[in-house]
Amino acid sequence: MPTAQHCVTVIHETGLHARPASKFVQTAAGFDSEIRIGRPTDGETVDAKSSIQVLSLGIEQGEDLEITADGADSGDAVERLVELVENDFELEG
């Protein structure tokens, strides 16, 4: 099963909270791969398709977020989620 991983810095002023977290989870849910996120420094990861788990991380502006996906569409999933974070949670298309 293919695995993809990438680290990205959260630039949104509120971090990965409320609206940004909702957009992140909705985007992740559009992929078949298992997707997990967390801080690269502590090794704790959560299910990126669970709003409660994503919010539980408490990711703040300026923190790094590691995104890992396992599955047939893992590369596309990680690419799309990195793009979402880099574009301040605004995606076109």
Side-chain angles (χ1 to χ4, degrees):
M1 183 178 324
T3 299
Q5 186 173 14
H6 194 84
C7 192
V8 62
T9 302
V10 176
I11 60 171
H12 195 272
E13 64 185 15
T14 65
L16 194 53
H17 298 279
R19 186 187 64 82
S22 176
K23 282 189 151 189
F24 191 91
V25 169
Q26 287 174 351
T27 303
F31 293 94
D32 292 329
S33 291
E34 177 184 328
I35 305 169
R36 300 196 60 83
I37 62 169
R39 289 178 182 87
T41 54
D42 67 14
E44 176 190 356
T45 64
V46 299
D47 181 355
K49 297 179 183 181
S50 166
S51 294
I52 292 172
Q53 290 185 34
V54 169
L55 289 169
S56 75
L57 287 173
I59 299 290
E60 300 290 335
Q61 181 184 36
E63 286 193 87
D64 289 333
L65 180 67
E66 188 168 68
I67 304 168
T68 304
D70 292 309
D73 59 359
S74 61
D76 291 338
V78 169
E79 181 180 327
R80 187 72 166 174
L81 291 167
V82 167
E83 180 184 0
L84 180 68
V85 174
E86 287 178 340
N87 289 311
D88 204 19
F89 299 93
E90 297 298 329
L91 275 182
E92 295 184 21

Coordinates of all heavy atoms in Angstrom, one line a residue:
M1 N 0.8 -1.2 0.0 CA 0.0 0.0 0.0 C 0.9 1.2 0.0 O 1.7 1.4 0.9 CB -0.9 0.0 1.3 CG -1.9 1.1 1.3 SD -3.0 1.1 2.8 CE -3.3 -0.6 3.0
P2 N 0.7 2.2 -0.9 CA 1.5 3.4 -1.0 C 1.4 4.3 0.2 O 0.3 4.4 0.8 CB 1.1 4.1 -2.3 CG 0.3 3.1 -3.1 CD -0.2 2.1 -2.1
T3 N 2.5 4.9 0.6 CA 2.4 5.8 1.7 C 3.0 7.1 1.3 O 4.0 7.2 0.5 CB 3.3 5.3 2.9 OG1 2.7 4.1 3.4 CG2 3.3 6.3 4.1
A4 N 2.4 8.2 1.7 CA 2.9 9.6 1.4 C 2.9 10.3 2.7 O 2.1 10.2 3.6 CB 2.0 10.2 0.4
Q5 N 3.9 11.2 2.8 CA 4.1 12.0 4.0 C 4.7 13.4 3.7 O 5.5 13.5 2.8 CB 5.0 11.3 5.0 CG 5.1 11.9 6.3 CD 5.9 11.0 7.2 OE1 6.6 10.0 6.8 NE2 5.9 11.3 8.5
H6 N 4.2 14.4 4.4 CA 4.7 15.7 4.2 C 4.5 16.6 5.4 O 3.5 16.4 6.1 CB 4.1 16.4 3.0 CG 4.7 17.6 2.5 ND1 5.8 17.6 1.6 CD2 4.6 18.9 2.7 CE1 6.2 18.8 1.3 NE2 5.5 19.6 2.0
C7 N 5.4 17.5 5.7 CA 5.3 18.4 6.8 C 5.1 19.8 6.3 O 5.7 20.2 5.3 CB 6.6 18.3 7.6 SG 6.5 19.1 9.2
V8 N 4.1 20.5 6.9 CA 3.8 21.9 6.4 C 3.5 22.7 7.7 O 3.1 22.3 8.7 CB 2.5 21.8 5.5 CG1 1.3 21.3 6.3 CG2 2.2 23.1 4.9
T9 N 3.8 24.0 7.5 CA 3.6 25.0 8.6 C 2.3 25.6 8.5 O 1.9 26.1 7.4 CB 4.7 26.1 8.6 OG1 6.0 25.5 8.7 CG2 4.5 27.1 9.8
V10 N 1.5 25.6 9.6 CA 0.2 26.2 9.6 C 0.3 27.7 9.7 O 0.9 28.2 10.7 CB -0.6 25.7 10.8 CG1 -2.0 26.3 10.9 CG2 -0.8 24.1 10.7
I11 N -0.2 28.4 8.7 CA -0.1 29.9 8.7 C -1.4 30.6 9.1 O -1.4 31.8 9.4 CB 0.3 30.4 7.3 CG1 -0.7 30.0 6.2 CG2 1.7 29.9 7.0 CD1 -0.5 30.6 4.9
H12 N -2.5 29.8 9.2 CA -3.8 30.5 9.6 C -3.7 31.1 11.0 O -3.1 30.5 11.9 CB -4.9 29.5 9.5 CG -6.3 30.1 9.5 ND1 -6.9 30.4 10.7 CD2 -7.1 30.5 8.5 CE1 -8.1 30.9 10.4 NE2 -8.2 31.0 9.1
E13 N -4.3 32.3 11.1 CA -4.2 33.0 12.4 C -4.7 32.3 13.6 O -4.3 32.5 14.7 CB -4.8 34.4 12.2 CG -6.3 34.4 12.0 CD -6.9 35.8 11.8 OE1 -6.1 36.7 11.5 OE2 -8.1 35.9 11.8
T14 N -5.7 31.4 13.4 CA -6.3 30.7 14.5 C -5.7 29.3 14.6 O -6.2 28.5 15.4 CB -7.8 30.7 14.5 OG1 -8.2 29.9 13.3 CG2 -8.4 32.0 14.5
G15 N -4.8 29.0 13.8 CA -4.2 27.6 13.7 C -5.2 26.6 13.1 O -6.0 27.0 12.2
L16 N -5.2 25.4 13.6 CA -6.1 24.4 13.1 C -7.3 24.2 14.0 O -7.4 23.2 14.7 CB -5.3 23.1 12.9 CG -6.0 22.0 12.1 CD1 -6.4 22.5 10.7 CD2 -5.0 20.8 11.9
H17 N -8.1 25.3 14.0 CA -9.3 25.3 14.9 C -10.5 25.6 14.1 O -10.5 26.3 13.1 CB -9.1 26.4 16.0 CG -7.9 26.1 16.9 ND1 -7.9 25.2 17.9 CD2 -6.6 26.5 16.8 CE1 -6.7 25.2 18.5 NE2 -5.9 26.0 17.8
A18 N -11.7 25.2 14.7 CA -13.0 25.5 14.1 C -13.1 25.4 12.6 O -13.1 24.3 12.1 CB -13.5 26.9 14.7
R19 N -13.2 26.6 11.9 CA -13.5 26.5 10.5 C -12.3 25.9 9.7 O -12.5 25.0 8.9 CB -13.7 28.0 9.9 CG -14.1 28.0 8.5 CD -14.2 29.4 7.9 NE -12.9 30.1 8.0 CZ -11.9 30.0 7.0 NH1 -12.1 29.2 6.0 NH2 -10.8 30.7 7.1
P20 N -11.0 26.2 10.0 CA -10.0 25.5 9.3 C -10.0 24.0 9.5 O -9.7 23.2 8.6 CB -8.7 26.2 9.8 CG -9.1 27.5 10.4 CD -10.5 27.3 10.9
A21 N -10.2 23.6 10.7 CA -10.2 22.2 11.0 C -11.4 21.5 10.3 O -11.2 20.4 9.8 CB -10.4 22.0 12.5
S22 N -12.5 22.2 10.2 CA -13.7 21.6 9.5 C -13.3 21.4 8.0 O -13.6 20.4 7.4 CB -14.9 22.5 9.6 OG -15.9 22.0 8.9
K23 N -12.7 22.4 7.4 CA -12.3 22.3 6.0 C -11.3 21.2 5.8 O -11.3 20.5 4.8 CB -11.7 23.6 5.5 CG -12.8 24.7 5.2 CD -12.1 25.9 4.5 CE -13.1 26.5 3.6 NZ -12.5 27.5 2.7
F24 N -10.3 21.1 6.7 CA -9.3 20.1 6.7 C -10.0 18.7 6.7 O -9.7 17.8 5.9 CB -8.3 20.2 7.8 CG -7.1 19.4 7.6 CD1 -6.0 19.9 7.0 CD2 -7.0 18.1 8.1 CE1 -4.8 19.1 6.8 CE2 -5.9 17.3 8.0 CZ -4.8 17.8 7.3
V25 N -10.8 18.5 7.7 CA -11.5 17.2 7.8 C -12.4 16.8 6.6 O -12.4 15.7 6.1 CB -12.4 17.1 9.1 CG1 -13.3 15.9 9.2 CG2 -11.4 17.2 10.3
Q26 N -13.1 17.8 6.1 CA -13.9 17.6 4.9 C -13.1 17.2 3.7 O -13.4 16.3 2.9 CB -14.7 18.8 4.6 CG -15.9 19.1 5.5 CD -16.6 20.4 5.2 OE1 -16.1 21.2 4.5 NE2 -17.7 20.6 5.9
T27 N -11.9 17.9 3.6 CA -11.0 17.5 2.4 C -10.5 16.2 2.6 O -10.4 15.4 1.7 CB -9.9 18.6 2.3 OG1 -10.5 19.9 2.2 CG2 -9.0 18.3 1.2
A28 N -10.0 15.8 3.8 CA -9.5 14.5 4.1 C -10.5 13.4 3.8 O -10.2 12.3 3.3 CB -8.9 14.4 5.5
A29 N -11.7 13.7 4.2 CA -12.8 12.7 4.0 C -13.1 12.3 2.6 O -13.7 11.3 2.3 CB -14.1 13.1 4.7
G30 N -12.6 13.2 1.7 CA -12.8 12.9 0.3 C -11.9 11.9 -0.3 O -12.0 11.6 -1.5
F31 N -11.0 11.4 0.5 CA -10.0 10.4 0.0 C -10.2 9.0 0.7 O -10.7 9.0 1.8 CB -8.6 10.9 0.3 CG -8.2 12.1 -0.5 CD1 -8.4 13.4 0.0 CD2 -7.8 12.0 -1.8 CE1 -8.1 14.5 -0.7 CE2 -7.4 13.1 -2.6 CZ -7.6 14.4 -2.0
D32 N -9.9 8.0 0.0 CA -10.1 6.6 0.5 C -8.9 6.2 1.5 O -9.1 5.4 2.3 CB -10.1 5.6 -0.6 CG -11.4 5.7 -1.5 OD1 -12.4 6.1 -0.9 OD2 -11.3 5.4 -2.7
S33 N -7.8 6.9 1.3 CA -6.6 6.5 2.2 C -6.9 6.8 3.6 O -7.7 7.7 4.0 CB -5.4 7.3 1.7 OG -5.0 6.9 0.5
E34 N -6.2 6.1 4.5 CA -6.2 6.4 5.9 C -5.2 7.6 6.1 O -4.1 7.5 5.6 CB -5.7 5.2 6.7 CG -5.6 5.5 8.2 CD -5.0 4.4 9.0 OE1 -5.1 3.2 8.7 OE2 -4.3 4.7 10.0
I35 N -5.7 8.7 6.7 CA -4.9 9.9 6.8 C -4.7 10.2 8.3 O -5.7 10.3 9.0 CB -5.5 11.1 6.0 CG1 -5.7 10.7 4.6 CG2 -4.6 12.3 6.1 CD1 -6.6 11.7 3.8
R36 N -3.5 10.5 8.7 CA -3.2 10.8 10.1 C -2.4 12.1 10.1 O -1.6 12.3 9.2 CB -2.5 9.7 10.8 CG -3.4 8.4 10.8 CD -2.9 7.4 11.8 NE -3.0 7.8 13.2 CZ -4.0 7.8 14.0 NH1 -5.2 7.4 13.5 NH2 -3.9 8.1 15.2
I37 N -2.6 12.9 11.1 CA -1.8 14.1 11.3 C -1.3 14.3 12.7 O -1.9 13.7 13.6 CB -2.7 15.4 10.9 CG1 -3.9 15.6 11.8 CG2 -3.1 15.4 9.4 CD1 -4.6 16.9 11.7
G38 N -0.3 15.1 12.8 CA 0.3 15.4 14.2 C 1.5 16.3 14.0 O 1.9 16.7 13.0
R39 N 2.0 16.6 15.2 CA 3.2 17.4 15.2 C 4.4 16.4 15.0 O 4.5 15.4 15.6 CB 3.4 18.0 16.6 CG 2.5 19.1 16.9 CD 2.7 19.7 18.3 NE 1.7 20.7 18.6 CZ 0.5 20.5 19.1 NH1 0.1 19.2 19.4 NH2 -0.3 21.5 19.4
P40 N 5.3 16.9 14.1 CA 6.5 16.0 13.8 C 7.4 15.8 15.0 O 8.1 14.8 15.1 CB 7.2 16.7 12.7 CG 6.7 18.1 12.7 CD 5.4 18.1 13.3
T41 N 7.3 16.6 16.0 CA 8.2 16.6 17.2 C 7.8 15.6 18.3 O 8.6 15.1 19.0 CB 8.3 18.0 17.8 OG1 7.0 18.4 18.1 CG2 9.0 18.9 16.9
D42 N 6.5 15.3 18.3 CA 6.0 14.4 19.5 C 5.6 13.0 19.1 O 5.3 12.2 20.0 CB 5.0 15.1 20.3 CG 3.7 15.3 19.7 OD1 3.4 14.7 18.6 OD2 2.9 16.2 20.2
G43 N 5.4 12.7 17.8 CA 5.0 11.4 17.4 C 3.5 11.1 17.6 O 3.1 10.0 17.1
E44 N 2.8 11.9 18.3 CA 1.3 11.6 18.4 C 0.6 12.0 17.2 O 0.8 13.1 16.6 CB 0.8 12.5 19.6 CG -0.7 12.3 19.8 CD -1.3 13.3 20.7 OE1 -0.6 14.1 21.4 OE2 -2.6 13.3 20.9
T45 N -0.2 11.1 16.7 CA -1.0 11.4 15.5 C -2.5 11.1 15.7 O -2.8 10.3 16.6 CB -0.5 10.6 14.2 OG1 -0.8 9.2 14.5 CG2 0.9 10.9 13.9
V46 N -3.3 11.7 15.0 CA -4.8 11.5 15.1 C -5.4 11.3 13.7 O -4.8 11.6 12.7 CB -5.5 12.6 15.8 CG1 -5.0 12.9 17.2 CG2 -5.4 13.9 15.0
D47 N -6.6 10.7 13.7 CA -7.3 10.5 12.4 C -7.7 11.9 11.8 O -8.5 12.6 12.4 CB -8.5 9.7 12.7 CG -9.4 9.3 11.5 OD1 -9.1 9.8 10.4 OD2 -10.3 8.6 11.7
A48 N -7.2 12.2 10.6 CA -7.5 13.5 10.0 C -8.9 13.6 9.5 O -9.4 14.6 9.1 CB -6.5 13.7 8.8
K49 N -9.7 12.5 9.6 CA -11.1 12.5 9.2 C -12.1 12.7 10.4 O -13.3 12.6 10.2 CB -11.4 11.3 8.4 CG -10.6 11.1 7.1 CD -10.9 9.9 6.4 CE -10.0 9.7 5.1 NZ -10.3 8.5 4.4
S50 N -11.5 13.0 11.5 CA -12.3 13.1 12.8 C -12.1 14.6 13.3 O -11.0 14.9 13.7 CB -11.9 12.1 13.8 OG -12.4 12.5 15.1
S51 N -13.2 15.4 13.3 CA -13.1 16.7 13.7 C -12.6 16.8 15.2 O -11.8 17.6 15.5 CB -14.5 17.4 13.6 OG -14.8 17.6 12.3
I52 N -13.2 16.0 16.0 CA -12.8 16.0 17.4 C -11.3 15.7 17.6 O -10.6 16.3 18.4 CB -13.7 15.0 18.2 CG1 -15.1 15.5 18.3 CG2 -13.2 14.8 19.7 CD1 -16.2 14.6 18.8
Q53 N -10.8 14.7 16.9 CA -9.4 14.3 17.1 C -8.5 15.4 16.5 O -7.5 15.7 17.1 CB -9.1 13.0 16.4 CG -9.8 11.8 17.1 CD -9.4 10.5 16.5 OE1 -8.3 10.3 16.0 NE2 -10.3 9.5 16.5
V54 N -8.9 16.0 15.4 CA -8.1 17.1 14.8 C -8.0 18.3 15.8 O -7.0 18.8 16.1 CB -8.6 17.5 13.4 CG1 -8.0 18.8 12.9 CG2 -8.4 16.4 12.4
L55 N -9.2 18.7 16.3 CA -9.2 19.8 17.3 C -8.4 19.5 18.5 O -7.9 20.4 19.2 CB -10.7 20.1 17.6 CG -11.5 20.8 16.5 CD1 -12.9 20.8 16.8 CD2 -10.9 22.2 16.2
S56 N -8.4 18.2 18.9 CA -7.7 17.8 20.2 C -6.2 18.1 20.1 O -5.6 18.2 21.2 CB -8.0 16.3 20.5 OG -7.2 15.5 19.7
L57 N -5.7 18.2 18.9 CA -4.2 18.5 18.8 C -3.9 19.9 19.2 O -2.8 20.2 19.7 CB -3.8 18.3 17.3 CG -3.7 16.8 16.8 CD1 -3.3 16.8 15.4 CD2 -2.6 16.1 17.6
G58 N -4.8 20.8 19.1 CA -4.5 22.2 19.4 C -3.4 22.9 18.6 O -2.6 23.6 19.2
I59 N -3.4 22.6 17.4 CA -2.3 23.1 16.5 C -2.5 24.6 16.4 O -3.6 25.1 16.0 CB -2.3 22.5 15.1 CG1 -2.1 21.0 15.2 CG2 -1.3 23.1 14.2 CD1 -0.7 20.5 15.6
E60 N -1.5 25.4 16.7 CA -1.5 26.8 16.6 C -0.8 27.4 15.4 O 0.0 26.7 14.7 CB -0.8 27.4 17.9 CG -1.4 27.0 19.2 CD -2.8 27.6 19.4 OE1 -3.1 28.7 18.8 OE2 -3.6 27.0 20.2
Q61 N -1.0 28.6 15.1 CA -0.3 29.3 14.0 C 1.2 29.2 14.2 O 1.7 29.4 15.3 CB -0.7 30.8 13.9 CG -0.1 31.5 12.8 CD -0.4 33.0 12.8 OE1 -0.5 33.6 13.8 NE2 -0.6 33.6 11.6
G62 N 1.9 28.9 13.1 CA 3.3 28.8 13.1 C 3.9 27.4 13.5 O 5.1 27.1 13.4
E63 N 3.0 26.5 13.9 CA 3.4 25.1 14.2 C 3.5 24.3 12.9 O 2.7 24.5 12.0 CB 2.4 24.5 15.2 CG 2.6 25.0 16.6 CD 1.9 24.1 17.6 OE1 2.4 23.1 18.1 OE2 0.7 24.4 17.9
D64 N 4.3 23.3 13.0 CA 4.4 22.3 11.9 C 3.4 21.2 12.1 O 3.1 20.8 13.2 CB 5.8 21.7 11.8 CG 6.9 22.7 11.3 OD1 6.5 23.7 10.6 OD2 8.1 22.6 11.7
L65 N 2.9 20.8 10.9 CA 1.9 19.7 10.9 C 2.4 18.6 10.0 O 2.7 18.9 8.8 CB 0.5 20.3 10.4 CG -0.6 19.3 10.3 CD1 -1.0 18.9 11.7 CD2 -1.8 20.0 9.6
E66 N 2.5 17.4 10.5 CA 2.9 16.3 9.6 C 1.7 15.6 9.2 O 0.8 15.2 10.0 CB 3.8 15.4 10.4 CG 4.5 14.3 9.5 CD 5.6 13.6 10.2 OE1 5.3 12.9 11.2 OE2 6.7 13.8 9.8
I67 N 1.6 15.4 7.8 CA 0.4 14.7 7.2 C 0.9 13.4 6.6 O 1.8 13.4 5.8 CB -0.2 15.6 6.1 CG1 -0.6 16.9 6.7 CG2 -1.4 14.8 5.5 CD1 -1.0 17.9 5.6
T68 N 0.3 12.3 7.0 CA 0.7 11.0 6.5 C -0.5 10.2 6.0 O -1.6 10.2 6.7 CB 1.3 10.1 7.6 OG1 2.4 10.8 8.2 CG2 1.8 8.8 7.1
A69 N -0.4 9.7 4.8 CA -1.6 8.9 4.2 C -1.1 7.6 3.8 O 0.0 7.4 3.2 CB -2.2 9.7 3.1
D70 N -1.9 6.6 4.0 CA -1.7 5.2 3.5 C -2.9 4.8 2.6 O -4.0 4.8 3.1 CB -1.5 4.2 4.7 CG -0.3 4.5 5.5 OD1 0.8 4.6 4.8 OD2 -0.4 4.6 6.7
G71 N -2.6 4.4 1.4 CA -3.7 3.9 0.5 C -3.4 4.3 -0.9 O -2.4 5.0 -1.2
A72 N -4.3 3.8 -1.8 CA -4.1 4.0 -3.2 C -4.0 5.5 -3.7 O -3.3 5.8 -4.6 CB -5.2 3.3 -4.0
D73 N -4.7 6.4 -3.0 CA -4.7 7.8 -3.3 C -3.9 8.6 -2.3 O -4.2 9.8 -2.2 CB -6.2 8.3 -3.5 CG -7.0 8.2 -2.3 OD1 -6.5 7.7 -1.2 OD2 -8.2 8.6 -2.3
S74 N -3.0 8.0 -1.7 CA -2.2 8.7 -0.6 C -1.5 9.9 -1.1 O -1.5 11.0 -0.5 CB -1.3 7.7 0.1 OG -0.3 7.2 -0.8
G75 N -0.8 9.8 -2.3 CA -0.1 10.9 -2.8 C -1.0 12.1 -3.1 O -0.7 13.3 -2.8
D76 N -2.1 11.9 -3.7 CA -3.1 12.9 -4.0 C -3.6 13.5 -2.7 O -3.8 14.8 -2.6 CB -4.3 12.4 -4.9 CG -3.8 12.0 -6.3 OD1 -2.8 12.6 -6.8 OD2 -4.6 11.2 -6.9
A77 N -3.9 12.7 -1.7 CA -4.5 13.2 -0.5 C -3.5 14.1 0.2 O -3.9 15.2 0.6 CB -4.8 12.0 0.4
V78 N -2.3 13.7 0.3 CA -1.3 14.6 1.0 C -1.0 15.8 0.2 O -1.0 16.9 0.8 CB 0.1 13.8 1.2 CG1 1.2 14.7 1.7 CG2 -0.1 12.7 2.3
E79 N -0.9 15.7 -1.1 CA -0.7 16.9 -1.9 C -1.9 17.9 -1.7 O -1.7 19.1 -1.5 CB -0.7 16.5 -3.4 CG -0.4 17.7 -4.3 CD -0.3 17.2 -5.8 OE1 0.2 16.1 -6.0 OE2 -0.8 18.0 -6.6
R80 N -3.1 17.4 -1.7 CA -4.3 18.3 -1.6 C -4.4 19.0 -0.2 O -4.7 20.1 0.0 CB -5.6 17.5 -1.9 CG -6.8 18.3 -1.9 CD -6.8 19.2 -3.2 NE -8.2 19.7 -3.3 CZ -8.6 20.5 -4.3 NH1 -7.7 21.0 -5.1 NH2 -9.8 20.9 -4.3
L81 N -4.0 18.2 0.8 CA -4.1 18.7 2.2 C -3.0 19.7 2.5 O -3.2 20.7 3.1 CB -4.1 17.6 3.2 CG -5.3 16.7 3.2 CD1 -5.1 15.4 4.0 CD2 -6.5 17.5 3.8
V82 N -1.8 19.5 1.9 CA -0.7 20.4 2.0 C -1.1 21.7 1.3 O -0.9 22.8 1.9 CB 0.6 19.9 1.5 CG1 1.7 21.0 1.3 CG2 1.2 18.8 2.4
E83 N -1.7 21.6 0.1 CA -2.1 22.8 -0.6 C -3.2 23.6 0.2 O -3.1 24.8 0.2 CB -2.7 22.3 -1.9 CG -3.2 23.5 -2.8 CD -3.9 23.0 -4.1 OE1 -4.0 21.7 -4.3 OE2 -4.4 23.8 -4.8
L84 N -4.1 22.9 0.9 CA -5.1 23.5 1.7 C -4.4 24.3 2.8 O -4.8 25.5 3.0 CB -6.0 22.5 2.3 CG -7.1 23.0 3.2 CD1 -8.2 23.8 2.3 CD2 -7.8 21.8 3.9
V85 N -3.5 23.8 3.5 CA -2.8 24.5 4.6 C -2.0 25.6 4.1 O -2.1 26.7 4.6 CB -1.9 23.5 5.4 CG1 -1.1 24.2 6.5 CG2 -2.8 22.4 6.1
E86 N -1.3 25.4 3.0 CA -0.4 26.5 2.4 C -1.2 27.6 1.9 O -0.7 28.8 1.8 CB 0.5 25.9 1.3 CG 1.6 25.0 1.9 CD 2.5 24.4 0.8 OE1 2.0 24.4 -0.4 OE2 3.6 24.0 1.2
N87 N -2.5 27.4 1.5 CA -3.3 28.4 1.0 C -4.3 29.0 2.0 O -5.4 29.5 1.7 CB -4.1 27.9 -0.3 CG -3.2 27.8 -1.5 OD1 -2.4 28.7 -1.8 ND2 -3.3 26.6 -2.1
D88 N -3.9 28.8 3.3 CA -4.7 29.4 4.4 C -6.1 28.8 4.4 O -7.0 29.6 4.7 CB -4.6 30.9 4.4 CG -4.8 31.5 5.7 OD1 -4.7 30.8 6.7 OD2 -5.2 32.7 5.8
F89 N -6.3 27.6 4.1 CA -7.5 26.9 4.1 C -8.5 27.4 3.1 O -9.7 27.2 3.3 CB -8.1 26.8 5.5 CG -7.2 26.1 6.5 CD1 -6.2 26.8 7.2 CD2 -7.2 24.7 6.5 CE1 -5.3 26.1 8.0 CE2 -6.3 24.0 7.4 CZ -5.4 24.7 8.1
E90 N -8.0 27.9 2.0 CA -8.9 28.3 0.9 C -8.4 27.6 -0.3 O -7.3 27.7 -0.8 CB -8.8 29.8 0.6 CG -9.2 30.7 1.8 CD -10.7 30.5 2.1 OE1 -11.5 30.3 1.2 OE2 -11.0 30.7 3.3
L91 N -9.3 26.7 -0.9 CA -9.0 25.9 -2.1 C -9.9 26.3 -3.2 O -11.1 26.5 -2.9 CB -9.1 24.4 -1.8 CG -7.9 23.7 -1.2 CD1 -8.3 22.2 -1.1 CD2 -6.7 23.9 -2.0
E92 N -9.4 26.3 -4.4 CA -10.3 26.5 -5.5 C -10.4 25.1 -6.2 O -9.5 24.4 -6.3 CB -9.6 27.5 -6.5 CG -9.5 28.9 -5.9 CD -9.0 29.9 -6.9 OE1 -9.1 29.7 -8.1 OE2 -8.5 30.9 -6.4
G93 N -11.6 24.9 -6.8 CA -11.9 23.7 -7.5 C -12.2 22.5 -6.8 O -12.3 22.2 -5.7

